[in-house]
Amino acid sequence: LFPFAAQFCCGFFVILILGNFWFLAVLYLVWLYLDWETPCAGGRRSQWVRSWTVWKYFREYFPIQLIKTSDLNPNHNYLLGFHPHGVLVAGAFGNFCTGPSFKNLFPGLTPYLHIMPIWFGCPFFREYIMSAGMVSASKESVSYVLNNEGGGHASIIVIGGAEESLNAHPGSLTLNVLNRKGFIKMALKHGAHLVPVFSFGENELFKQVANPKGSWLRNVQEKLQKIMGFALPLFHARGVFQYSFGLIPFRQPIHTVVGSPIPVKRNLNPTTEEIEQLHAVYLQELRKLFEEHKGNYGIPEHKTLIFE
């Protein structure tokens, strides 16, 4: 849904240029040039925006709930790996960018949701997403957040990325994580404790057109994703007054479970073997988190996570 909002903001910018307000567009371009690095330097959050009443209704619509399984000491920095991406990433946005849930459950920690850098090139849209607490997913941005000497920072990274959204079918438990090891290296370099997060119900919000791997549709989607930087899943859900077709997500509960921290010692130059070793531990803890909680959220006992 980000593309639609970004297109609207870009369209508004074009209207300013073509209309009688072109001078405002020029002023904004100057501002954009001067402010270009802000998404990589902690962003510019606004508690007022994060507390809008509309987000309360957004969370209650599904509803969205954040579940704590362990304390997170605010004297440390953390890297939270969020799974799965889904189509909307509703659990990540609802829990880490809006409302008081994270602050109440993990006092002393400030969450930063990292998203693709491409979104911060969209006029006006970048201001909105930064005000909600989103920052770039670039290495520089993650380093900035995790480099806080006093601790108290939490980087949230959707590990599967845009590619994983193409697997976002109801009932799907396939995660793109086997070859995702950059976040492990970042955690080691900064000594940030790793925390697996699984959002139950994230893949149930939309139905997606069948796109098995190897199909012509999947091939086209993957090629477009590599070119544009974001995926284009063909999805549908319900309408405003009917439940058979539309783009409004289904009302399915989302329970975002935050696991226990995996202690990480700072290592400025981790070897490939050390990265692989910590990655294996992370996958083990992620699977453990899923297995311990799946029964509470309607996942059959015989079903388990599939790592790709």
Side-chain angles (χ1 to χ4, degrees):
L1 297 179
F2 262 30
F4 300 123
Q7 285 175 6
F8 175 81
C9 291
C10 289
F12 178 69
F13 183 71
V14 170
I15 291 173
L16 288 181
I17 295 176
L18 299 179
N20 295 324
F21 302 98
W22 59 267
F23 61 95
L24 292 178
V26 172
L27 287 176
Y28 184 80
L29 285 175
V30 173
W31 163 256
L32 190 62
Y33 174 78
L34 296 174
D35 194 57
W36 191 255
E37 296 299 325
T38 301
C40 295
R44 186 172 46 249
R45 69 182 55 221
S46 165
Q47 191 56 42
W48 174 67
V49 173
R50 290 167 60 87
S51 302
W52 281 351
T53 302
V54 67
W55 303 136
K56 176 177 179 289
Y57 294 127
F58 172 78
R59 294 190 304 274
E60 292 178 350
Y61 171 80
F62 297 98
I64 296 174
Q65 184 178 2
L66 187 66
I67 292 92
K68 171 183 174 179
T69 63
S70 177
D71 290 331
L72 297 181
N73 189 333
N75 294 324
H76 298 297
N77 293 316
Y78 297 88
L79 196 160
L80 280 62
F82 184 90
H83 311 268
H85 184 288
V87 171
L88 190 60
V89 204
F93 179 76
N95 287 309
F96 304 122
C97 295
T98 75
S101 295
F102 187 87
K103 182 179 179 180
N104 292 341
L105 291 177
F106 303 103
L109 284 182
T110 301
Y112 295 82
L113 179 59
H114 296 271
I115 64 174
M116 291 184 296
I118 187 175
W119 300 119
F120 296 98
C122 299
F124 300 116
F125 184 66
R126 70 189 295 275
E127 317 305 333
Y128 158 65
I129 56 180
M130 276 197 289
S131 67
M134 298 183 215
V135 292
S136 172
S138 67
K139 292 180 181 179
E140 295 78 13
S141 178
V142 177
S143 291
Y144 184 93
V145 173
L146 297 181
N147 212 27
N148 190 40
E149 293 185 3
H153 281 188
S155 280
I156 298 98
I157 301 178
V158 184
I159 305 300
E163 183 182 355
E164 192 174 82
S165 67
L166 300 178
N167 290 327
H169 297 272
S172 174
L173 296 173
T174 301
L175 304 180
N176 291 49
V177 67
L178 287 182
N179 295 318
R180 308 279 175 142
K181 299 172 185 175
F183 74 104
I184 298 291
K185 188 174 183 179
M186 294 299 293
L188 283 165
K189 281 191 170 185
H190 295 281
H193 296 348
L194 284 166
V195 182
V197 178
F198 195 88
S199 196
F200 292 90
E202 198 75 44
N203 284 339
E204 318 306 315
L205 306 186
F206 297 92
K207 293 180 180 178
Q208 190 173 166
V209 175
N211 60 343
K213 285 197 172 184
S215 65
W216 70 269
L217 176 57
R218 186 60 168 259
N219 290 336
V220 170
Q221 288 175 320
E222 290 176 346
K223 287 179 181 178
L224 289 175
Q225 188 263 322
K226 290 178 180 178
I227 295 172
M228 299 184 297
F230 56 86
L232 291 174
L234 299 179
F235 60 88
H236 66 89
R238 53 163 290 185
V240 178
F241 302 111
Q242 44 78 28
Y243 295 88
S244 57
F245 189 82
L247 294 179
I248 298 176
F250 293 117
R251 297 192 71 176
Q252 295 289 339
I254 299 173
H255 297 91
T256 304
V257 184
V258 180
S260 300
I262 303 169
V264 178
K265 291 184 178 180
R266 191 172 189 180
N267 183 348
L268 294 177
N269 296 294
T271 64
T272 301
E273 183 179 353
E274 289 170 330
I275 294 173
E276 292 281 356
Q277 190 174 39
L278 183 55
H279 187 257
V281 172
Y282 178 85
L283 293 184
Q284 181 180 345
E285 290 300 311
L286 174 59
R287 188 180 296 278
K288 179 182 175 183
L289 177 71
F290 174 80
E291 293 295 332
E292 287 180 350
H293 294 273
K294 68 180 184 181
N296 298 330
Y297 307 115
I299 307 294
E301 182 62 31
H302 68 278
K303 284 204 163 190
T304 190
L305 295 178
I306 299 172
F307 297 148
E308 288 187 348

